[in-house]
Amino acid sequence: MAVTEEYIEILGARVHNLKNIDIRIPREKLVVITGLSGSGKSSLAFDTIYAEGQRRYIETFSAYARQFLGGLERPDVDKIDGLSPVIAIEQKTTSKSPRSTVGTITEIYDFLRLLYARASDAYSYNTGEKMVSYGDEQIRELIIEKFTNKKVNVLAPVIRSRKGHYRELFEQIAKQGFVKVRVDGEIRDIVKGMKLDRYKTHDIEIVVDRLKITSKEEVENRFSESIKTAMYHGDDVLMILEQDSEELKYFSRNLMCPTTGISYPNPEPNNFSFNSPKGACPVCNGIGTLHKVNPDKIVPDKSLSIKKGALAPHGPQKKNWIFKQLEMIAERFEFSLNDPIKDIPAEALEMILYGGKEKFSKESKTLGITRDLKIDFEGVASFIEETYNKNESTSLRRWAKEYMDKIVCPECNGSRLKKESLYFKINEKSIADLAEKDIVHLAEWFKELEPELTEKQKKIASEVIKEINVRLQFLLDVGLDYLSLNRGSKTLSGGEAQRIRLATQIGSQLVGVLYILDEPSIGLHQRDNEKLINSLVSLRDLGNSVLVVEHDKDMIERADHVIDIGPEAGRHGGEIISQGTPEEIRKHDTITANYLNGSMEIEVPKKRRKGNGKSIELIGATGNNLKNVSVTFPLGKMIAVTGVSGSGKSTLINETLYPIMNAHYFNGVKKPMPYTRIKGLEHIDKVIDINQTPIGRTPRSNPATYTGVFSEVRSLFAKTPEAMIRGYKPGRFSFNVKGGRCETCKGGGLRVIEMNFLPDVYVECETCQGKRFNRETLEIRYKGKSISDVLEMTINEATIFFENIPKIYRKLKTIKDVGLGYITLGQQSTTLSGGEAQRIKLATELSKRDTGNTFYILDEPTTGLHFEDIRVLMEVLNKLTNKGNTVLIIEHNLDVIKIADYIIDIGYEGGRNGGEVVATGTPEEVAKHKKSYTAQFLQKELI
C-alpha cells in the first residue's frame, strides 16, 4: 500500500513504440521526462498516463452519461497504480474561435465585466456628461420643484429618429385613450387615418397629460398617475414640456443624459460581453473585425479586358447570364467588353462592381428601330459580400474570402463592444481601454486604483479587484507580462497558450493532482525560464505531482527526478535507459547525460561566414509594437533573430518581412504590417517559410503523402509492366479513392467496432489485414514489394530501396538527413510529435531544388528537439547556407544562436517596452552588449 502512496507505478506499457516498460514515478515531485525526439516521451506521459487517468475519470460516470461522452480507448498497458486525477497542459488546447481571447481564457475579463457592471460610472456618448438615474418619487419631487405653478405637458417618447408613416401606431395610441401626440416638436390631435412621410425621420411622443402643477392634493395625485403612465409607455423615460417657454426636460428610471435624453439600460455583466447580443457591437457581432471586398482583388490587372478575364471571380467571357448583363452595361455606357478595364468609364465600373437597376433605350442603326433594354445586375462585389455573409457552404465562403480584406470594424474600432458599453468608466478608463493594456501595465493600474475610488465603489469592488490582482500576478509569474487581455487566443504560440493554462491552473490552487506538461519552455527566452520553473515548483509545493516532457537543460537540472527514454528514436527507442536525480543521470553513458555533463556539445564554429556582400534592408517597420524599426539582413549567412518573448520578433519577420517577400516573388495576398520601404529584393530568387502548423489532422495523412513521395511511388507502380497490362493508373494505388483501396475499411487499414456503453474498439480490417488495399492492387509488385510493403518501410530502408529513382531518393534522403530515418512512410501524421512534424515540413522544402539564392525563414525549428536532434538539424541548415542560401531563424535556443553568423536582437522587453533593435552583429559582438538579455546568456555559451 505504501508503494501506491509514494509512486505512480506503471507495468507493461506498450503504447506506440514503448517496449513493454515498467517504471515507478515518484509522486509530489517535479519529474522531467527527456530523450531524443520520437523516443517515446509523449507516448509515456500523454498516451499512457494521461489517457488512462482520463479513461478512469469517465468510467466513474453512469453508463447512460458515458454513451453521450463517447468512450476512451484503454491504453496498451498492463497496470497503472497510484494514479491521481490528471490534468494535461498541452500545446494544442487553445480555442481557434475568433471570440476567444486571453481575457476570456484566464477569466480575468469575466471579473472585469462584473466590476464594470457594479462599480462604474456612466457617461453620455453625446455630451460626455455623467448620466443620471432617478426613482419615481425623486422624479416627482424634481419636477414639482422646477415647474411649480407652471403649465406643463407630460410626454412619453415612443419613436426616436426613425423613418416610417406610423399609421398603425397612431391608431393604437388612440385606442388606448390618448387624444394628442407631439410629432417632430409640434403637438397635434390624433385623427382617423393619420400618417406621416415614410421617407423622413420622425420623433413621436404621446401627450399623456396637460396640467398646471400646484401643491393641491388632487393635482399631486393626478400628476403621480401621469408619471407612471408616461413611464410605462415611454419605456422608463418621460419628458416634461413647459407650455410657455417650450423648455424640455428628460427624466428616466434608467441611466440618462440630462441634456439630450439618451438613456442606457442599467448595466449587467452581459452588457460588457462581446459574446452576448446585449454587449456585442451590432456591426461586427463582437468580433472586432470585418471582411470587406477589395476591388483590387476582383480586378487585379487593369490592362486586361472583361472578355479576356479582367474580373478574376468570373474569368474569361462565357455564354451565361452574367456576361449578358455585362454586355448590356457596356451598351448603356458605350464601351466594349474588349476594352481594357482602365479605359472603362468610372460609373460603368461602379455598376459592374456594386450593381444597379436601370432602363434605357438603344437605337439600332442597322434595323432603324429603338429597343428598350433593362439592366438588373447585383454587382460582382455585392455578390461576393452576400455569399460570404449569408451562405452556409464553407467552400463558397472560402472562395468569397479570397476577394476580401480583413479590416478593423469602423463602428467599434476593434473594441468589439456596443457604443453604450464603452461609456461606462472607472477612473476615466472603459473596459476596452483596460483590455488593450499589457498585463504588466494593467497590474500597475489596478495597484494604483484604490485611492481613486469612492467609499461606495471600494465596498463593492474590493473582492473583485483582489481576484483580478491574483490572476494578473500568475500571468506575470509565467513570463506573459507583454500580452493584453484582448489578444485573440488563435494568435498565441503553443508555448504562450500552454503557459496561460498553467497560470490558470496555479490560480485554481488544487492539491493532489498530477499535472502533465508538454515542453512548457517553448518560445520562452532564457530570462523568463527561471519564472516558469519557479511556477512549476510552486505547483509541486502545493502538494501536486508535476510531470514535464522537456529538453531544456535548466529544467532538467532543477528537477527532483529525471527519466531518460531512448536509446534512439522510433523503433529504436521506447526503453528507459536511465532515471534518477539530475546528478545521478549525469554519471550514465547516454546521449542526454553526455550533453548534460559537457562531454558532448554543439561546437561554436571556428569562423563565421562572410556572406555574399549583398543585403535586404527593411526600413520603417511599425506593426504592433515595433517602433519604426529599420533592419539589414545580410545575405548568404545564417541569421538568428532573438529577443525576449513578445519583443516583436514574429511581427518583424512573420508579419512584415515574409508577406512583403511572398507578395514580391509569388504574388501572395497576405497584407504585411506597416513599413516605409524595402531594398534589395532583387538579390534573391524565392522565399520559403517553414512554420509550426501541424502537417495533417487526419489519420490518412502521413509523411509519404505530405512530402509528395507517395505520388512518385504511385506513378512508379503504375509504370510496372503488370500494372500497364491491367491498365492501372496512379490513382489505383491511392488509399483515399475508390478503385484500388480496400472498400471494407475505406483504405484506413482499421475498422471501428462501436460498443454501445464501452469505448469504440479499433480492429485490423479482416479483409485486407491492415494493408489498406485490395488483393488486385497488392498483386502489383516493384522489386518484390507491394505498395503496402513500401508504406511499412522506415525512411532508412526506403532510401536504400529507391536509391536508383532520383526523384524519390532525393526526397527520402532529405527526410533522413533531418534525423527522421526511423519513422515509416505510412505513419499517421497524428502520431508524429511536434518536432517530427516540423522537420518533415523542413525536409519537404529542402528536397526542392534550391537556387543557391533562396531565403529560408524558420520559426523556432528546435521545438520538441533533443540536444542531439538540434546538432543534426544545424548540420542540414549549415549545408544550405554553405551553398549560398540565406537561412533566417527566429530562436531562443542558445545552441542555435551561438552557431549563427549574424544576430539581430530585439527588445528590450516584451510588449510595449519592446519593438526596438537592441544589438546586431556576430554572436561575439552581440555578447558584449551591456543591456541585451540575450547577451548575458550568450556570454556563458561562447566561453
Side-chain angles (χ1 to χ4, degrees):
M1 192 64 198
V3 169
T4 56
E5 284 173 11
E6 293 173 33
Y7 293 94
I8 299 164
E9 189 165 28
I10 299 157
L11 299 173
R14 294 176 293 278
V15 177
H16 298 324
N17 65 338
L18 296 179
K19 298 204 174 104
N20 202 19
I21 61 173
D22 301 342
I23 185 170
R24 292 166 81 193
I25 299 171
R27 288 161 57 99
E28 296 185 17
K29 296 278 187 280
L30 175 56
V31 180
V32 169
I33 302 180
T34 189
L36 290 172
S37 180
S39 60
K41 302 181 300 299
S42 294
S43 299
L44 176 63
F46 289 96
D47 303 328
T48 306
I49 301 172
Y50 174 57
E52 177 64 8
Q54 209 177 17
R55 189 187 70 79
R56 287 187 192 178
Y57 171 61
I58 285 176
E59 289 284 300
T60 61
F61 290 16
S62 67
Y64 178 71
R66 288 207 303 274
Q67 71 179 2
F68 299 110
L69 286 168
L72 288 172
E73 198 179 342
R74 183 186 170 90
D76 190 0
V77 60
D78 294 337
K79 188 180 175 191
I80 301 184
D81 280 334
L83 198 56
S84 320
V86 183
I87 294 175
I89 304 178
E90 298 176 84
Q91 291 163 31
K92 303 165 191 155
T93 45
T94 45
S95 164
K96 295 290 173 219
S97 159
R99 296 187 174 279
S100 171
T101 65
V102 171
T104 58
I105 305 172
T106 54
E107 297 171 5
I108 294 173
Y109 194 75
D110 299 337
F111 283 105
L112 280 182
R113 291 193 293 127
L114 184 62
L115 180 68
Y116 270 79
R118 301 288 178 259
S120 61
D121 296 319
Y123 294 86
S124 164
Y125 57 71
N126 278 348
T127 60
E129 291 174 82
K130 196 168 180 180
M131 304 282 264
V132 290
S133 71
Y134 302 115
D136 287 4
E137 197 54 40
Q138 275 178 300
I139 291 171
R140 198 175 73 86
E141 284 168 11
L142 281 166
I143 295 170
I144 289 171
E145 186 186 312
K146 190 168 177 60
F147 296 102
T148 303
N149 296 326
K150 291 181 181 172
K151 287 182 179 175
V152 296
N153 294 315
V154 180
L155 310 175
V158 283
I159 297 294
R160 286 196 192 171
S161 304
R162 286 200 351 240
K163 293 177 181 178
H165 55 62
Y166 298 115
R167 191 174 65 199
E168 294 85 356
L169 178 70
F170 291 129
E171 283 174 13
Q172 205 180 339
I173 293 169
K175 278 180 191 168
Q176 288 168 337
F178 299 109
V179 291
K180 288 182 185 293
V181 286
R182 181 171 178 262
V183 177
D184 300 332
E186 181 192 344
I187 293 177
R188 291 160 60 171
D189 291 322
I190 300 175
V191 293
K192 201 171 180 187
M194 178 175 177
K195 62 177 186 177
L196 308 174
D197 185 338
R198 65 181 297 180
Y199 297 110
K200 288 184 179 168
T201 55
H202 303 288
D203 291 316
I204 302 172
E205 293 97 28
I206 301 170
V207 179
V208 175
D209 201 354
R210 311 176 83 184
L211 75 167
K212 185 176 182 182
I213 293 176
T214 63
S215 53
K216 287 180 187 172
E217 194 177 328
E218 64 269 23
V219 173
E220 284 196 8
N221 289 343
R222 173 182 159 185
F223 184 49
S224 295
E225 284 304 311
S226 298
I227 288 174
K228 280 182 189 164
T229 310
M231 284 288 190
Y232 174 76
H233 290 286
D235 200 14
D236 288 345
V237 178
L238 69 80
M239 297 156 68
I240 298 290
L241 176 71
E242 193 185 334
Q243 281 185 16
D244 302 334
S245 67
E246 291 289 311
E247 186 189 348
L248 195 62
K249 268 287 182 196
Y250 289 88
F251 297 92
S252 171
R253 288 176 184 153
N254 294 333
L255 290 162
M256 183 200 71
C257 171
T259 308
T260 58
I262 57 162
S263 71
Y264 299 166
N266 284 324
E268 287 299 319
N270 271 2
N271 294 109
F272 302 98
S273 168
F274 44 79
N275 293 328
S276 157
K278 287 188 175 177
C281 162
V283 177
C284 63
N285 291 324
I287 301 287
T289 55
L290 294 170
H291 278 91
K292 195 169 185 292
V293 174
N294 180 348
D296 291 338
K297 287 184 180 177
I298 294 174
V299 187
D301 186 354
K302 291 189 169 54
S303 63
L304 281 180
S305 66
I306 292 175
K307 202 168 189 174
K308 290 271 173 66
L311 298 174
H314 297 300
Q317 187 169 10
K318 302 169 190 73
K319 285 189 176 175
N320 61 19
W321 179 85
I322 287 172
F323 280 93
K324 286 234 164 55
Q325 288 290 321
L326 291 172
E327 279 168 8
M328 267 203 262
I329 294 172
E331 280 196 50
R332 162 71 183 83
F333 292 100
E334 296 177 351
F335 68 90
S336 157
L337 296 189
N338 287 318
D339 294 347
I341 284 272
K342 59 176 188 281
D343 299 339
I344 290 176
E347 47 191 321
L349 193 56
E350 184 77 11
M351 188 178 272
I352 290 169
L353 289 175
Y354 302 105
K357 293 183 181 182
E358 198 173 320
K359 288 180 181 175
F360 67 97
S361 302
K362 186 82 178 167
E363 199 176 320
S364 173
K365 287 174 183 166
T366 48
L367 298 172
I369 56 169
T370 302
R371 289 181 302 153
D372 286 334
L373 298 171
K374 182 183 172 192
I375 299 170
D376 184 358
F377 188 54
E378 186 181 359
V380 181
S382 307
F383 173 72
I384 289 170
E385 202 150 300
E386 179 86 1
T387 304
Y388 184 79
N389 291 329
K390 306 230 169 120
N391 206 296
E392 296 293 314
S393 160
T394 315
S395 53
L396 274 174
R397 292 190 73 209
R398 197 183 301 129
W399 167 82
K401 205 170 167 181
E402 287 174 18
Y403 304 102
M404 304 177 96
D405 282 343
K406 200 174 186 182
I407 59 160
V408 173
C409 170
E411 174 73 12
C412 65
N413 288 323
S415 71
R416 301 170 172 236
L417 294 170
K418 278 183 177 169
K419 185 162 42 167
E420 293 89 333
S421 306
L422 297 173
Y423 281 84
F424 285 87
K425 298 188 177 180
I426 295 177
N427 196 13
E428 299 180 5
K429 296 286 181 198
S430 71
I431 193 165
D433 295 334
L434 297 192
E436 266 180 31
K437 285 177 177 287
D438 297 343
I439 300 287
V440 64
H441 291 117
L442 187 60
E444 280 168 20
W445 187 84
F446 270 107
K447 282 195 180 88
E448 293 161 9
L449 179 62
E450 195 92 1
E452 306 293 332
L453 298 177
T454 62
E455 282 309 310
K456 184 186 171 191
Q457 282 178 320
K458 278 180 193 169
K459 213 169 188 177
I460 297 168
S462 62
E463 281 303 310
V464 182
I465 292 172
K466 203 155 84 184
E467 286 290 341
I468 291 172
N469 282 331
V470 167
R471 281 168 166 73
L472 289 174
Q473 192 53 48
F474 289 137
L475 285 174
L476 295 174
D477 289 345
V478 292
L480 291 174
D481 50 2
Y482 56 91
L483 293 180
S484 59
L485 295 185
N486 63 2
R487 170 96 174 255
S489 63
K490 63 191 227 183
T491 67
L492 297 171
S493 70
E496 285 171 335
Q498 198 178 358
R499 291 199 295 282
I500 284 177
R501 284 204 60 209
L502 178 62
T504 314
Q505 289 301 335
I506 299 170
S508 67
Q509 300 281 310
L510 288 172
V511 174
V513 173
L514 169 60
Y515 286 102
I516 304 181
L517 291 96
D518 188 8
E519 295 197 53
S521 66
I522 287 173
L524 203 56
H525 192 273
Q526 299 300 116
R527 184 198 68 163
D528 300 321
N529 222 356
E530 196 61 31
K531 288 182 185 173
L532 173 71
I533 296 170
N534 290 338
S535 300
L536 295 177
V537 168
S538 65
L539 255 189
R540 178 201 67 191
D541 294 345
L542 280 170
N544 298 301
S545 309
V546 182
L547 189 60
V548 187
V549 175
E550 189 55 276
H551 297 290
D552 181 72
K553 200 172 181 178
D554 296 343
M555 184 80 78
I556 295 170
E557 286 172 349
R558 285 283 297 275
D560 302 318
H561 189 83
V562 180
I563 298 166
D564 191 7
I565 299 184
E568 290 180 33
R571 293 179 181 184
H572 310 297
E575 297 172 38
I576 307 292
I577 51 173
S578 66
Q579 63 170 320
T581 62
E583 289 71 33
E584 290 164 3
I585 290 282
R586 278 201 188 91
K587 292 169 189 164
H588 289 81
D589 184 21
T590 65
I591 296 176
T592 307
N594 290 340
Y595 275 100
L596 287 175
N597 62 30
S599 56
M600 280 176 82
E601 63 173 357
I602 296 171
E603 289 181 9
V604 178
K606 299 278 185 290
K607 58 178 199 290
R608 310 285 176 186
R609 295 178 194 85
K610 292 280 182 280
N612 58 18
K614 296 170 183 165
S615 63
I616 288 177
E617 201 174 340
L618 177 63
I619 298 156
T622 55
N624 290 341
N625 64 340
L626 295 179
K627 300 187 173 84
N628 200 15
V629 165
S630 296
V631 190
T632 301
F633 302 95
L635 301 179
K637 291 186 178 186
M638 187 185 288
I639 306 168
V641 178
T642 62
V644 296
S645 307
S647 57
K649 304 183 297 297
S650 293
T651 303
L652 179 67
I653 306 302
N654 297 336
E655 305 290 329
T656 312
L657 180 69
Y658 175 66
I660 297 168
M661 294 171 86
N662 198 28
H664 183 267
Y665 301 112
F666 306 116
N667 297 322
V669 291
K670 186 178 174 188
K671 210 171 169 193
M673 290 274 187
Y675 70 102
T676 311
R677 65 182 191 279
I678 190 164
K679 296 195 288 200
L681 288 181
E682 67 279 3
H683 299 317
I684 57 172
D685 301 338
K686 61 178 178 178
V687 62
I688 290 172
D689 179 42
I690 300 160
N691 56 27
Q692 294 176 10
T693 49
I695 67 170
R697 300 201 177 273
T698 70
R700 291 182 175 276
S701 163
N702 59 44
T705 54
Y706 183 82
T707 54
V709 166
F710 200 47
S711 304
E712 302 293 344
V713 172
R714 283 172 22 218
S715 302
L716 181 65
F717 270 79
K719 285 178 188 154
T720 56
E722 183 66 24
M724 291 173 86
I725 290 164
R726 296 189 187 188
Y728 291 170
K729 298 278 182 287
R732 176 84 198 190
F733 301 96
S734 167
F735 49 76
N736 289 328
V737 292
K738 285 182 181 177
R741 73 181 181 185
C742 165
E743 283 306 318
T744 312
C745 61
K746 304 276 190 293
L750 298 169
R751 276 187 57 223
V752 181
I753 308 287
E754 288 184 10
M755 316 278 282
N756 263 356
F757 293 131
L758 294 167
D760 292 344
V761 176
Y762 288 89
V763 294
E764 196 175 75
C765 170
E766 69 276 7
T767 312
C768 65
Q769 272 83 46
K771 290 189 160 48
R772 296 178 166 216
F773 297 92
N774 58 27
R775 184 175 54 78
E776 293 81 1
T777 310
L778 294 173
E779 284 170 359
I780 307 298
R781 294 184 174 263
Y782 171 77
K783 286 186 170 176
K785 300 281 187 190
S786 71
I787 188 85
S788 177
D789 297 334
V790 169
L791 287 174
E792 287 299 311
M793 288 180 182
T794 64
I795 301 291
N796 286 337
E797 291 163 357
T799 312
I800 299 163
F801 186 74
F802 290 112
E803 64 185 337
N804 297 326
I805 316 290
K807 269 187 174 176
I808 299 175
Y809 177 76
R810 193 175 75 246
K811 288 183 178 173
L812 293 175
K813 177 81 169 64
T814 324
I815 302 175
K816 186 180 170 183
D817 288 347
V818 293
L820 292 178
Y822 58 88
I823 63 172
T824 61
L825 277 172
Q827 186 172 337
Q828 297 172 357
S829 291
T830 48
T831 65
L832 294 169
S833 70
E836 288 169 337
Q838 194 173 8
R839 280 183 291 163
I840 284 178
K841 285 177 115 173
L842 178 62
T844 309
E845 294 299 346
L846 298 184
S847 65
K848 296 173 184 171
R849 287 210 166 85
D850 65 275
T851 53
N853 222 1
T854 304
F855 198 99
Y856 292 91
I857 296 175
L858 291 94
D859 191 354
E860 295 195 40
T862 60
T863 299
L865 299 193
H866 185 268
F867 309 111
E868 179 64 9
D869 298 316
I870 293 172
R871 187 186 63 75
V872 173
L873 175 73
M874 295 320 292
E875 277 180 15
V876 174
L877 296 179
N878 272 322
K879 276 183 199 164
L880 264 185
T881 318
N882 290 338
K883 286 182 186 171
N885 299 300
T886 306
V887 176
L888 185 147
I889 309 171
I890 302 173
E891 194 52 89
H892 294 290
N893 190 302
L894 292 167
D895 284 330
V896 175
I897 297 169
K898 70 184 184 187
I899 289 176
D901 304 310
Y902 190 82
I903 295 177
I904 298 166
D905 190 38
I906 297 175
Y908 293 80
E909 300 287 338
R912 287 176 196 177
N913 296 331
E916 298 175 50
V917 175
V918 177
T920 59
T922 64
E924 287 76 15
E925 289 164 0
V926 170
K928 291 173 188 163
H929 199 280
K930 295 282 186 291
K931 288 186 180 175
S932 162
Y933 288 115
T934 308
Q936 293 168 18
F937 293 96
L938 190 56
Q939 281 167 1
K940 300 169 193 166
E941 294 290 323
L942 294 175
I943 294 166

